[in-house]
Each structure stands twice: as structure tokens, then as C-alpha cells.
Amino acid sequence: METKLPPASTPTSPSSPGLSPVPPPDKVDGFSRRSLRRARPRRSHSSSQFRYQSNQQELTPLPLLKDVPASELHELLSRKLAQCGVMFDFLDCVADLKGKEVKRAALNELVECVGSTRGVLIEPVYPDIIRMISVNIFRTLPPSENPEFDPEEDEPNLEPSWPHLQLVYEFFLRFLESPDFQPSVAKRYVDQKFVLMLLELFDSEDPREREYLKTILHRVYGKFLGLRAYIRKQCSHIFLRFIYELEHFNGVAELLEILGSIINGFALPLKTEHKQFLVRVLIPLHSVKSLSVFHAQLAYCVVQFLEKDATLTEHVIRGLLKYWPKTCTQKEVMFLGEMEEILDVIEPSQFVKIQEPLFKQVARCVSSPHFQVAERALYFWNNEYILSLIEDNCHTVLPAVFGTLYQVSKEHWNQTIVSLIYNVLKTFMEMNGKLFDELTASYKEQQKARERQELWQGLEELRLRRLQGTQGAKEAPLQRLTAQVATSGGQS
Amino acid sequence: MAGAAGPGTGPGAAGGDGDDSLYPIAVLIDELRNEDVQLRLNSIKKLSTIALALGVERTRTELLPFLTDTIYDEDEVLLALAEQLGNFTGLVGGPDFAHCLLPPLESLATVEETVVRDKAVESLRQISQEHTPVALEAHFVPLVKRLASGDWFTSRTSACGLFSVCYPRASNAVKAEIRQHFRSLCSDDTPMVRRAAASKLGEFAKVLELDSVKSEIVPLFTNLASDEQDSVRLLAVEACVSIAQLLSQEDLEALVMPTLRQAAEDKSWRVRYMVADKFSELQKAVGPKITLNDLIPAFQNLLKDCEAEVRAAAAHKVKELCENLPAEGRETIIMNQILPFIKELVSDTNQHVKSALASVIMGLSTILGKENTIEHLLPLFLAQLKDECPEVRLNIISNLDCVNEVIGIRQLSQSLLPAIVELAEDAKWRVRLAIIEYMPLLAGQLGMEFFDEKLNSLCMAWLVDHVYAIREAATNNLMKLVQKFGTEWAQNTIVPKVLVMANDPNYLHRMTTLFCINVLSEACGQEITTKQMLPIVLKMAGDQVANVRFNVAKSLQKIGPILDTDALQEEVKPVLQKLGQDEDMDVKYFAQEAISAVAQRLRKLDCSAKASEEPSARGADKNHFLRPRGPGEDTGKGPAHQLHGNTRDTLAQLEIAELVHFSQSGD
């Protein structure tokens, strides 16, 4: 069934140059490499895997597994596994077609056999199986064709050897899922190093490969208890590197999806290690540029944590406020969405702790000139649960947002926003008419700014006086310092 | 002077009770609590002002503890703080008190954000130099140790950058401890820390005693170079350069080379890429003998690596590698061991590889000399000039000067011309732009005759390109050509063609004439400008398209400095005045700009003329009696001159003067 795939498809299909996106006009920066890279035809080199294969042997088809007596089955199986360990060059789609076909047929048969025949998985075949899998899947991923690969915009670079690779992954998966599979035997071969290499493959640009890896890693996590802590640690290393060093890793969404189900299974009370993972890894993940690619999975993980342990809410919300996007409105909308998900499950006792900073941020979003941001923030007031929280705490929430709402209702360019704000103000009025009137009356913001300016002025005068006192009438250093201060501090 | 009053630090104290000395810290605290990040940031950036106002003692006893304890902020604010503190030694009372700055920097060195941490480390490194040796051991080294054994990876990562600055000045016992800490970071559990350690390994090796380098650094290097993560292994390659420089040839061969050989054949292309990228440094570090035995074969492998990235990186290094070979036997090595691989790369499947090679291959001709170049390199150059990828062709053309010195360009000109023509007509304007930029170079190499015959028409064709950037580049190109070939050539070949375009039906082309005149006038000099260009410009003042007219005004302003008084007065001025009355607002604006510039120019000419004419008592001629007054200008000179001259001119001058004022106040 798996053979439905187009045979030996390579990324050098003639249509791909046409698919590469035209550089947007604002990127016009002379004769840049980017434009060339974008337009260049797909390279026919990503065969890091292939280079270590020397003196290719000829493959000859072996008898079918089902045709041999049970006594010879395992010997044949191991020969088939060895045959499947031979690698082929898929960039040259006509090279060694016969060998490729033999291997494909053998893989198909192995997939079939391990999935349906009982009693095949005996201890001696484990090392052969793991060896065959390792040889096929573990490879240094080729350099990305497009160094500025944008997972949202660009076509991914598909793995050329997929016709074989897919069958290997399928085989691996069925091996893990087989009722005969014994983790206690397999753990000798599926060790930390194996898992580490498996995790590195998540950087593959090919979404089909990542999909398989996701399921496989999930099974591994489920069956090998001894590897669980290690897998979690390595995932967090991958994330930290992604956040602070590279900003590039293709499999973040898949890893987060697995983690979502892992978090779901955490026992209570949560271990410190897990809480630390939330605060120091998951929350900072929000700061990454390509957040949109994995935000849904990330938000799921965060909410899972909060459902487990409500006391983490304050940490999480303060963390989100810290990483709140400054310039990217698209991300801001995502943050607002996640915030609403969190508020949906928040406990009133937790809400009280963060209501003020939170609603100041919400107010800033309402005043965003980007109407989608403002709109998303105003939708909070359509949420019954949030509305009830606001009502219970209106003495804090109202003053936090009132000034902004009032101002924006007069100034926003977008009519929808203005009418949404009127609705919100109306809700406030109904909620607590007296407070509303007070706030309207005392709405003056300018005073504060003036006070601040006076403070700085006073400081400046004091400094000048001191300088004059210590330096006498020397004028030059004074001027120099003034200039320095004016241009924001600099050296002492 | 400080501390007369108790440390009242509440915001309420701000200016309330009249104690000025409390003022700064209160302001700072107030501002640091402000909601607006920008205000918090501003106040941190003025930290030195605050410290200065507080005086050294109060900075130490109040400001720094405050900063250490209460800072919990946006990374942007922390970054500014980390930077400020690096220059704070003077403000806390000089080197004796430098250690006071360590606590806040220590906590900044542990934050998550890399930028902040790096800045804190940078400041710590800076401050470490200001510590006395005693203070270094008493305060700085303990800090490094604390960071190195911190429980989150951030502090350990920061520690890696601090070992090398405190090691040289520490006592032997402490040195041993420092080495011990560094060793454990090199085998840290977290790859982030191992990467940080690997990237500082070379730096640390340099400050160590040679024995320790051999006994401790080399094993660390070997371990890191075989780390399970390629991101760590590739950093070891960088360290290899520094370590190799420290060791003798025998030690090098025994201790480093096995690892380096392994790196050059690493299974990860990133590591191989790093080897290719650092090849010249490695070559210099290991010396000629090992280069011949080990590096050349490794380089050959890199040139035929299966990943294009690696091949391209290696191709970039071809010239440097050859240059750095010992002169003796160099030619043979290149001919036998390098050139065959280069030949392959010329027809590589990847255009980045080809273009990397094309950017350096011409440099080989100086190394190989005339005969070898003609026999072996020339065919390659010619092939690359015909390459399908424009970048390859451009890279060859841009380096023609190297070949010119060795064999002269004539050898190439047959193939060069079609290549140039093709690039000149490329559909992508950036390609056309790139080739235009090489035109002056080519003109210099090919000579005037060849140029006139083959390339001149191309240069003129670019003037009417449909992309503005190309027309603009083409005009600048003309100027450079005139600078090369001289005014006579310009007058005969370029100027007539440019001027003909003034009658073109397309106003964009007419404007191109003006743009050409703008840049050519200076190169061509006064005579050509006045006699040939000026009449055309003036005539175009009557153009029906406003864009042309205001460009006339701009051109007149531009060429004004080249013209003499008569031309300015008699020809330019009336036209500008007319444009100054134009119905189009922009035309008026630019005409007025030009009028004021011309007036200034006239004034200048007037002054110099007057200086030379003064003794003759004839006074001024009609050109300069009433000087338009600029603001603040001394008008005391020559009122007598105003009595001469006729009324009409006076009026005209007055008009200009008014316009000058107008345009000045309009600014």
C-alpha cells in the first residue's frame, strides 16, 4: 500500500524553480545573494547519507518470508534486514533501479511481517533490526537549501530517499507497536545515544518524516521508562538552543505535541524539574520569531500545566507579559489568544494576583493601531467567565483599563473597534455605575508626565551645581559631559 | 559632601524636604518603577549622571546595592545596565573599589537572555583588568567559581568567558582551581555549556603554561572534537587554530593532527564546512610541512565534498591556500595537486560553488605566472565567462585586473566581449547594474580604442534603460569614463550623444540628459560646460514637463560653480528668474533654491574679483554692488559701490535678495 508514492521522486522536479517565491519588493538591496538563492534551481545534492557507502554490492531478491519453513524464517529475516541496510543514491533517480526495487520489496515484506506475524520478534533479531533502522534513518541532515527558510512561506525540501525511508519508519513503528515487542530486550539497543540521534532528526525539513518521528518518539517514550527523563532533558536542550542560539529547528511543533501528552500524564504534585521546564523553557519559547509555526502546541502545553497546578498561573502570566511582542502584531494576536485560553481555566484566587499587570497589557492592546490586535483584546469581554472575573474585581480592573478605553473610544481610526469599545464601556457602566462616574471625572493623565519632567530637571540642575562646585570655572569638561549625557549616558 | 543626611530613599523624599543630596536616588527609584519601559531605560542610561551626582561613596553604598537587589526588568533595560556597569570603575572610586561592581554584574551574567549575559561578561572582562591582583583573587575569582558551578546553564555559560582574563594574574594554587573548573565545564551535561567552553578553549589555551596546554587543553580539545553533537565539534576546529600555534611541530603531529584529520572527514557537513572555512588559519598555524602532508589531501577532499556548502567554502580558500604555500615547490604543488580539482569545480553543478571559485581563481594567475596562466588557467576563465550563471561571469569580470597584470587582457577579449554584452542585456536589472559598475575598470584595462569600438554603444544604451537605477548608474559610469579617457574624448564621443537626447520625445530620456550634465560638467571643465552643455540646459527650461523644468533648475544649481560670472549673470540668472515664476510649485521651489545658490556663488566671485580689483579704484562692475544679505552677515562693506550701477540692475538684485530671504526663512 505504501508503494502508492510516486517512485523515486526527487526534489529536482522541473516545476520547483517556478514555485520558489519572488523576493518581496522591500527586500531590494542591490545585487544580493538572497535573490539568487531564491531563484536558483533546486540543488541536486543532499546525499550526506550516501557518501559512506562504498563498493555497492548487487542485491538479488531473496525468497519470500512466507514461503520458507518456520525453522528458516529467522535466518532469512536477518538476511533481508542486511539487504535493507544497503543504501541507494536517490538523487540519481535512474541509478541502480533494480537494487532499489529489491530493497523496497524487502522493506515492504518486513513491514507486513512484523505487523501481522506473531513470534517473529525473538531476541536475536533485535540488534539486526535496530542496526538496519539506524543505518537508514540516522544521517546528518543536509544543509537547508534556503538559509532563510520560512516554514510559513517556503516549500519544504523533501527527502529524496523517502520511498525507502518511509518504509523503514513504518517498519520501526510497527516493530515498536508489535504485541511481541519487548522493551526489556530492546533497551539494550535503543539507548540514550539512539534517542539523541532520533531527536536530531526532528530538524528534518520534510514534514512527512517529522510526522513519523513524532509517533515513534511517543511510542519510545511510552515503552522505555528508563529513557523518559533523558528524552525530556534533551528536548529542553533542543528548545533552549532554538530559543537562545539558532532560532532554527524544524521539529519544534512535533516535539511540543509529544510533550503536551507527556505533561498530560505528569503525576501530582508536579516535580520541580517539570515546573522549571515550564518557566525556563516553555515560556521563553514564546519569544521566538517563528512562534506561529508551533504556537498552538505550545499554548496547549502551557494550559496543560495550569490545569495540573493552578499555582503556576502567576508565573506563566507574568512570563507572557515579559515576552509580550513589541512590534509583531501577528504574534500579539496569538498571545492574546493564549491568554484567553489561560483565563478560561484560571482560578479566581490566581486572577486576583495578576489582574493589574494583565489588564494594563490588555489596555495597551486595545489601543493598538492594528485593529486585529485591538479587536482580539476586546473579544475578552465577550467571554462570560472573564466577564464574571472582571465584575468580581472591577475596583482593580476598571481603573487599569479605563483611561485607555476612554481615550481610544475617541481616537481609534477603525469604526468596529470604536463600537466594540462603546459596548465595553457600557458593560462597565452597568457593572458599577458609581465607579464609572468617578473614573470619568478623574480622567487626567497629563499631570503625571509634568511631574516627571520636573524631577529630571531638578536632577540636571543639581548635577550642574555639583560639577561647578568641583570643577570650578572650567567649562570644557562640563560641556563635554552635558553633550554626553544628552546622547544617553555613554562612558563616565 | 555625601551622606550628610540619612539614606532616605523613598520616592516621597524627592525634592520634598529640600535635601538635594537625596534627590538623584529618589528620582532613579521613581523612574525605575515606572510602567513605561522607555522611561526605565532612559533612567538606566543616565546612571552615570546619577552616580556622579551621588558621589563615589553613596554610589557604592546605596546605588549599587539598590541595583543589585531590585532589578527585575525587561532585557532591554538589563542590557543597558550591563553595559553601563562596565565603565563604572571611576564612578565607584577607582580600581580599589572595582569589586563593588561585581554583584550586579554577577546576577546579570546569569539571566536567560544571551545578549544581556554576553554584555555582562564583556563588562566583567573589562573590570577584571582594573582589579588589583589581590582583589582579583579575593573577589573576581570567587565570582567566576560561583558562576562555573551555578545550577542553571546560563551562569556556567557565562563563566566560560571569564577564565582567560583572571588566569594570568592568579597565583599557582588558584590557577590550578581555575583549570579544574574549566575542565569540568568542557564535559558539562548541557550542550550549551560545552559549546561555550569549546568556543573559549583557544582563548584559554593562549594564557596557559605550555605544559598545561599539552597535559590539559589537548585532552579537552580531543574530547570536544569528538563530542556527540556536531555543534560542539565544529567549535573545536576553531580552537584548533589557537592550540596549534602554541605547540612545536612534533607535539602538533602527535597531539593535534589526528583530531584535525578526523574533523576534516567528520560525518557532519557542518564540521567539514568549518574546516574549509578556517583553512587558511589552520594552514598558517600548522606550518608548511604538515600542510603538505596533511592539509593538501584534506583540502582535495573538501573540494570534492558531497555537500555544495563545503565545496563552496573550500573554493573560497583556493587562492589563499596557494599564496600561503612555501614559494619553493609551490608551482608544482598547485599544478599537480590543486589544479586538477579546480578544473572539476569549474563545471560544478552548484552555482555557489562556481561563483565562489570565480571570485578567487583569477588570483592564481599572479602565483602561476604567464605561461601556466595561458596554458592552464585561461581555458578555465573562458569557460567561466560562458557560464550560465551571471554571478560566475560577474566574478570573473570583476577580477580582470589580476589577469591583466600577468598576461594582458587581450587574450581574453574575444570571450570577454560576448560575456559583457550578454550581461549588459540581462533581464535582471541587478545583473545589468553589476556589470555597469565594472565598466570603468574594463575601460581602463581594454583601452580607449577597443572601448570605443565595442563597448561605447552599450554605455549609451544603458542611458535609456527602463529602470531608473540603471540610468543613474549609467550616468555615473560616464563620469568615471571621462575621468579615465579625458575631456577631449568626452567632447568627441559622449557629449554630443548625451545632448541629442535633450530632444527625445520621452521626458525620462530628456531628464537623463540633465543628469548626465550634472555629473559630466565637473569632469569636462568650464569650457565644454559653458559652450556645449549650458545652452541645452537653458533651452530645456521651456520644456512642457514640469519634472524636466525643475531638474533644469537643479542642474543649473549644480553646474553653477563651474560657470564664470558672465554666464551666470547673463544666461543662468534670467532663466532661473523665469522658472522662479513658474506655475508649478516644485519648479518654483527648486528655482529659488538655485537662485540663492547662484547668488552666493556670484558673491564669492565678486569678493575675489573685488580683492584683485580694489587697487584700481574702478570699484565694482555692475555685477556686484548690492549684496543680498544673509542673516548675521556683516553688511558694512562697500556702501559706496551701491551708488554705481543702473536702476534696473539694482531692482533685479533686490529681487534676488528677497528671494534669498524667502528661501532662507522658508527652511
Side-chain angles (χ1 to χ4, degrees):
Chain A
M1 292 153 270
E2 289 76 16
T3 52
K4 276 186 299 187
L5 286 158
S9 75
T10 71
T12 30
S13 66
S15 64
S16 26
L19 289 175
S20 56
V22 180
D26 59 331
K27 300 262 166 68
V28 175
D29 54 344
F31 191 66
S32 74
R33 288 176 57 196
R34 185 189 166 92
S35 66
L36 274 178
R37 277 189 181 271
R38 289 272 173 138
R40 79 192 194 192
R42 293 260 164 149
R43 184 193 40 220
S44 53
H45 277 264
S46 41
S47 51
S48 273
Q49 165 177 33
F50 189 62
R51 87 192 269 262
Y52 293 95
Q53 288 286 318
S54 48
N55 49 20
Q56 202 78 349
Q57 72 253 45
E58 189 91 346
L59 290 194
T60 44
L62 297 165
L64 292 180
L65 286 166
K66 62 173 194 248
D67 292 347
V68 294
S71 56
E72 290 166 32
L73 179 71
H74 285 107
E75 198 262 324
L76 182 62
L77 185 69
S78 124
R79 280 173 66 202
K80 292 231 170 197
L81 285 167
Q83 229 176 23
C84 293
V86 177
M87 303 300 291
F88 292 93
D89 181 3
F90 269 88
L91 294 159
D92 182 356
C93 40
V94 290
D96 205 0
L97 282 176
K98 185 167 153 276
K100 283 177 189 166
E101 177 54 29
V102 171
K103 176 169 171 180
R104 196 193 57 77
L107 279 169
N108 258 327
E109 217 190 336
L110 287 172
V111 169
E112 190 82 357
C113 169
V114 79
S116 57
T117 321
R118 294 296 304 257
V120 180
L121 294 182
I122 56 165
E123 209 172 323
V125 300
Y126 278 72
D128 288 344
I129 288 177
I130 296 298
R131 195 177 310 124
M132 188 280 277
I133 292 169
S134 306
V135 166
N136 275 284
I137 67 174
F138 294 145
R139 61 208 195 276
T140 308
L141 294 167
S144 176
E145 285 203 354
N146 178 355
E148 292 126 280
F149 178 72
D150 176 352
E152 287 207 301
E153 293 264 325
D154 300 334
E155 286 284 313
N157 194 9
L158 297 179
E159 173 58 44
S161 63
W162 191 241
H164 283 173
L165 199 56
Q166 190 214 1
L167 293 170
V168 175
Y169 277 123
E170 186 64 37
F171 171 73
F172 190 10
L173 193 57
R174 295 205 185 179
F175 168 64
L176 291 170
E177 287 173 347
S178 160
D180 289 344
F181 177 75
Q182 286 176 290
S184 54
V185 179
K187 75 177 181 198
R188 257 175 280 159
Y189 313 104
V190 180
D191 54 4
Q192 295 194 344
K193 194 158 172 18
F194 185 93
V195 166
L196 185 66
M197 290 195 283
L198 199 64
L199 283 167
E200 277 176 3
L201 289 175
F202 274 80
D203 194 20
S204 168
E205 245 179 67
D206 193 331
R208 304 169 300 184
E209 180 168 16
R210 295 202 305 269
E211 192 59 32
Y212 266 112
L213 285 165
K214 185 178 74 186
T215 323
I216 285 169
L217 185 69
H218 193 250
R219 299 288 179 277
V220 169
Y221 189 88
K223 296 197 187 256
F224 298 85
L225 302 186
L227 286 172
R228 288 186 172 182
Y230 184 79
I231 291 176
R232 289 196 307 267
K233 193 173 76 181
Q234 293 306 326
C235 282
S236 83
H237 288 164
I238 289 177
F239 290 147
L240 288 169
R241 179 159 196 233
F242 173 64
I243 301 166
Y244 295 115
E245 292 183 11
L246 282 182
E247 288 229 339
H248 179 89
F249 191 85
N250 291 313
V252 175
E254 284 81 2
L255 288 178
L256 283 170
E257 203 175 322
I258 300 168
L259 282 165
S261 76
I262 291 177
I263 295 164
N264 205 356
F266 280 162
L268 289 174
L270 287 178
K271 285 195 218 162
T272 329
E273 175 214 327
H274 300 327
K275 292 185 188 169
Q276 201 174 47
F277 178 72
L278 169 71
V279 176
R280 312 198 93 160
V281 182
L282 289 185
I283 299 298
L285 258 180
H286 287 84
S287 66
V288 175
K289 194 170 70 178
S290 56
L291 177 69
S292 60
V293 181
F294 55 85
H295 180 253
Q297 291 83 352
L298 179 59
Y300 178 79
C301 288
V302 170
V303 174
Q304 285 298 306
F305 261 115
L306 298 185
E307 288 196 339
K308 289 262 165 194
D309 183 352
T311 59
L312 292 166
T313 314
E314 187 181 353
H315 264 307
V316 168
I317 293 188
R318 287 194 191 276
L320 286 181
L321 292 176
K322 177 176 162 162
Y323 292 112
W324 202 274
K326 305 267 187 309
T327 53
C328 180
T329 47
Q330 190 205 6
K331 272 173 76 175
E332 228 175 330
V333 173
M334 287 186 261
F335 269 58
L336 285 164
E338 183 172 349
M339 199 56 94
E340 187 169 350
E341 279 181 57
I342 293 170
L343 290 176
D344 267 333
V345 299
I346 201 169
E347 284 182 7
S349 60
Q350 296 295 321
F351 180 81
V352 180
K353 291 185 189 161
I354 46 79
Q355 54 182 348
E356 209 175 335
L358 171 64
F359 274 87
K360 284 193 172 149
Q361 180 58 57
V362 172
R364 273 197 289 276
C365 293
V366 170
S367 66
S368 166
H370 194 309
F371 81 97
Q372 284 177 339
V373 175
E375 192 177 48
R376 188 67 193 83
L378 288 163
Y379 281 163
F380 279 20
W381 275 271
N382 294 349
N383 183 315
E384 298 265 324
Y385 182 60
I386 298 178
L387 206 59
S388 73
L389 289 168
I390 294 175
E391 187 159 9
D392 293 343
N393 300 285
C394 65
H395 281 278
T396 320
V397 176
L398 248 64
V401 295
F402 184 81
T404 317
L405 287 178
Y406 195 84
Q407 200 182 347
V408 177
S409 72
K410 303 230 177 302
E411 287 171 3
H412 207 282
W413 63 272
N414 184 298
Q415 272 314 306
T416 320
I417 299 302
V418 174
S419 58
L420 278 172
I421 291 182
Y422 273 126
N423 286 341
V424 171
L425 287 173
K426 214 170 86 200
T427 339
F428 279 161
M429 212 155 25
E430 287 156 8
M431 214 178 261
N432 191 332
K434 189 160 161 281
L435 181 61
F436 186 85
D437 291 341
E438 279 168 24
L439 287 169
T440 322
S442 68
Y443 168 65
K444 26 184 162 148
E445 177 59 27
Q446 279 80 358
Q447 215 168 354
K448 264 192 171 173
R450 211 180 314 129
E451 277 170 12
R452 181 181 313 126
Q453 211 177 354
E454 278 166 9
L455 276 177
W456 275 110
Q457 232 162 20
L459 173 65
E460 193 67 6
E461 277 164 20
L462 174 68
R463 189 185 59 79
L464 286 175
R465 269 220 302 285
R466 251 173 209 269
L467 275 180
Q468 272 161 357
T470 51
Q471 306 216 342
K474 268 208 264 161
E475 227 182 320
L478 183 80
Q479 275 169 350
R480 201 191 60 218
L481 204 102
T482 320
Q484 218 171 45
V485 168
T487 56
S488 82
Q491 276 95 359
S492 60
Chain B
M1 54 177 175
T9 48
D17 52 6
D19 181 0
D20 285 346
S21 62
L22 294 180
Y23 213 68
I25 195 113
V27 169
L28 175 70
I29 289 169
D30 245 22
E31 290 292 279
L32 282 175
R33 287 176 180 155
N34 199 291
E35 269 173 56
D36 186 345
V37 187
Q38 196 53 48
L39 290 173
R40 295 205 298 273
L41 197 57
N42 289 345
S43 69
I44 284 292
K45 285 185 174 163
K46 288 188 183 174
L47 210 54
S48 54
T49 313
I50 293 162
L52 201 64
L54 279 173
V56 292
E57 201 181 320
R58 293 193 63 194
T59 301
R60 287 199 302 269
T61 54
E62 291 173 42
L63 183 62
L64 288 177
F66 168 74
L67 291 173
T68 316
D69 293 341
T70 56
I71 293 274
Y72 245 123
D73 209 333
E74 298 260 345
D75 294 328
E76 208 179 340
V77 178
L78 298 185
L79 175 69
L81 179 61
E83 189 174 5
Q84 289 274 310
L85 290 177
N87 301 309
F88 241 56
T89 309
L91 294 165
V92 293
D96 289 343
F97 297 97
H99 62 268
C100 300
L101 298 170
L102 299 181
L105 283 171
E106 181 175 351
S107 47
L108 289 170
T110 62
V111 300
E112 316 268 35
E113 178 51 53
T114 327
V115 194
V116 177
R117 231 163 48 217
D118 288 350
K119 189 54 89 179
V121 169
E122 198 184 311
S123 289
L124 280 170
R125 287 170 70 112
Q126 207 170 325
I127 287 173
S128 73
Q129 302 308 321
E130 285 154 356
H131 279 67
T132 59
V134 179
L136 196 77
E137 281 198 18
H139 302 286
F140 197 86
V141 174
L143 169 139
V144 177
K145 287 195 231 163
R146 276 196 303 277
L147 288 176
S149 42
D151 58 352
W152 189 243
F153 79 96
T154 50
S155 72
R156 303 202 297 278
T157 310
S158 294
C160 293
L162 297 172
F163 292 106
S164 64
V165 290
C166 56
Y167 189 84
R169 293 201 287 151
S171 68
N172 281 339
V174 175
K175 278 183 175 177
E177 278 183 75
I178 295 176
R179 289 199 305 270
Q180 172 54 39
H181 276 285
F182 191 79
R183 266 205 305 277
S184 59
L185 292 184
C186 283
S187 52
D188 197 277
D189 190 35
T190 321
M192 274 78 72
V193 178
R194 293 204 301 279
R195 278 195 286 275
S199 67
K200 300 293 177 192
L201 184 65
E203 180 189 287
F204 190 52
K206 282 185 188 160
V207 299
L208 249 62
E209 298 77 10
L210 186 59
D211 281 345
S212 310
V213 171
K214 280 197 253 179
S215 63
E216 298 187 35
I217 294 290
V218 168
L220 292 177
F221 164 69
T222 317
N223 275 342
L224 290 169
S226 51
D227 195 275
E228 57 190 10
Q229 304 228 340
D230 59 1
S231 53
V232 179
R233 295 202 298 275
L234 66 87
L235 290 167
V237 175
E238 243 178 316
C240 184
V241 177
S242 311
I243 297 171
Q245 284 166 345
L246 303 170
L247 299 176
S248 68
Q249 286 284 310
E250 299 95 72
D251 288 337
L252 204 55
E253 180 57 56
L255 301 173
V256 174
M257 285 319 290
T259 311
L260 182 58
R261 271 179 225 128
Q262 183 193 318
E265 294 183 348
D266 197 281
K267 67 177 191 294
S268 164
W269 62 270
R270 291 186 189 87
V271 180
R272 302 197 302 273
Y273 173 89
M274 200 62 168
V275 174
D277 195 48
K278 298 277 164 214
F279 214 86
S280 303
E281 288 91 334
L282 288 168
Q283 187 187 0
K284 282 182 198 148
V286 301
K289 196 164 146 259
I290 296 181
T291 299
L292 292 187
N293 292 340
D294 279 289
L295 291 194
I296 299 275
F299 193 70
Q300 292 170 342
N301 283 334
L302 294 171
L303 284 177
K304 54 178 191 192
D305 196 277
C306 64
E307 290 298 346
E309 261 73 3
V310 180
R311 292 200 302 279
H316 263 302
K317 303 290 166 185
V318 163
K319 183 186 150 206
E320 266 182 85
L321 172 97
C322 296
E323 271 176 351
N324 294 335
L325 288 172
E328 190 189 340
R330 175 161 73 181
E331 198 181 307
T332 337
I333 298 167
I334 298 175
M335 295 304 294
N336 297 335
Q337 302 193 44
I338 308 282
L339 203 61
F341 293 90
I342 293 179
K343 282 180 182 163
E344 299 258 309
L345 286 191
V346 169
S347 51
D348 197 276
T349 49
N350 183 287
Q351 68 172 36
H352 291 282
V353 178
K354 288 188 290 186
S355 109
L357 182 69
S359 66
V360 295
I361 191 174
M362 307 291 266
L364 293 183
S365 49
T366 28
I367 303 170
L368 288 176
K370 189 170 176 179
E371 268 166 43
N372 281 328
T373 301
I374 294 176
E375 195 184 332
H376 297 285
L377 293 178
L378 197 57
L380 304 181
F381 300 158
L382 296 177
Q384 286 178 307
L385 275 175
K386 295 192 188 94
D387 197 278
E388 56 179 10
C389 160
E391 208 178 334
V392 175
R393 285 174 267 151
L394 279 172
N395 280 346
I396 290 291
I397 290 172
S398 64
N399 288 305
L400 279 176
D401 45 344
C402 313
V403 185
N404 195 25
E405 286 163 23
V406 183
I407 57 168
I409 209 160
R410 292 279 161 186
Q411 298 269 9
L412 275 175
S413 54
Q414 283 308 313
S415 307
L416 202 51
L417 197 65
I420 294 172
V421 172
E422 206 182 315
L423 289 169
E425 288 160 0
D426 197 282
K428 292 197 190 71
W429 66 266
R430 291 201 196 99
V431 175
R432 301 201 294 277
L433 185 64
I435 188 71
I436 292 177
E437 275 158 14
Y438 297 124
M439 270 298 149
L441 176 79
L442 287 170
Q445 316 265 322
L446 292 165
M448 198 195 287
E449 201 181 316
F450 185 91
F451 185 86
D452 278 346
E453 196 180 316
K454 315 275 188 192
L455 299 179
N456 196 13
S457 55
L458 282 180
C459 291
M460 301 317 285
W462 281 320
L463 287 175
V464 292
D465 197 282
H466 61 275
V467 175
Y468 175 75
I470 299 297
R471 298 199 297 273
E472 190 188 27
T475 42
N476 289 327
N477 174 43
L478 287 188
M479 176 185 69
K480 288 181 195 149
L481 290 175
V482 173
Q483 281 166 356
K484 269 218 155 76
F485 291 155
T487 52
E488 199 183 323
W489 177 82
Q491 200 173 4
N492 293 333
T493 43
I494 302 257
V495 175
K497 288 184 190 167
V498 167
L499 296 183
V500 165
M501 277 165 48
N503 301 318
D504 197 287
N506 185 336
Y507 84 98
L508 291 172
H509 298 173
R510 299 203 292 280
M511 287 204 323
T512 307
T513 300
L514 291 172
F515 298 145
C516 287
I517 288 173
N518 290 349
V519 294
L520 287 177
S521 57
E522 199 175 339
C524 289
Q526 195 184 50
E527 200 189 324
I528 300 179
T529 307
T530 317
K531 291 215 172 112
Q532 299 192 9
M533 298 178 179
L534 184 61
I536 302 288
V537 179
L538 296 173
K539 205 181 95 195
M540 290 168 85
D543 200 287
Q544 55 186 354
V545 178
N547 296 43
V548 178
R549 293 202 300 279
F550 75 65
N551 272 299
V552 166
K554 282 164 123 178
S555 291
L556 288 174
Q557 179 176 351
K558 195 109 186 174
I559 63 175
I562 298 153
L563 302 173
D564 61 12
T565 318
D566 282 340
L568 283 175
Q569 194 69 262
E570 309 273 323
E571 302 183 68
V572 174
K573 215 173 64 187
V575 170
L576 282 178
Q577 277 163 352
K578 184 158 163 272
L579 289 174
Q581 308 295 319
D582 201 278
E583 59 192 12
D584 186 278
M585 212 170 67
D586 294 321
V587 178
K588 253 195 256 184
Y589 172 78
F590 286 109
Q592 277 153 12
E593 294 257 293
I595 286 169
S596 83
V598 167
Q600 236 170 23
R601 167 80 185 151
L602 279 171
R603 219 181 311 149
K604 235 197 219 146
L605 289 173
D606 172 31
C607 285
S608 54
K610 199 167 68 182
S612 56
E613 285 173 14
E614 205 86 66
S616 74
R618 199 186 144 257
D621 61 19
K622 58 182 175 168
N623 287 336
H624 52 95
F625 35 82
L626 186 96
R627 307 171 65 242
R629 287 176 209 178
E633 198 183 327
D634 183 5
T635 50
K637 285 180 203 162
H641 295 154
Q642 291 176 22
L643 300 174
H644 303 277
N646 62 50
T647 343
R648 222 182 75 223
D649 270 333
T650 313
L651 280 175
Q653 289 286 5
L654 277 169
E655 214 173 294
I656 289 183
E658 263 169 49
L659 288 172
V660 170
H661 276 293
F662 177 71
S663 71
Q664 274 162 348
S665 60
D667 278 348

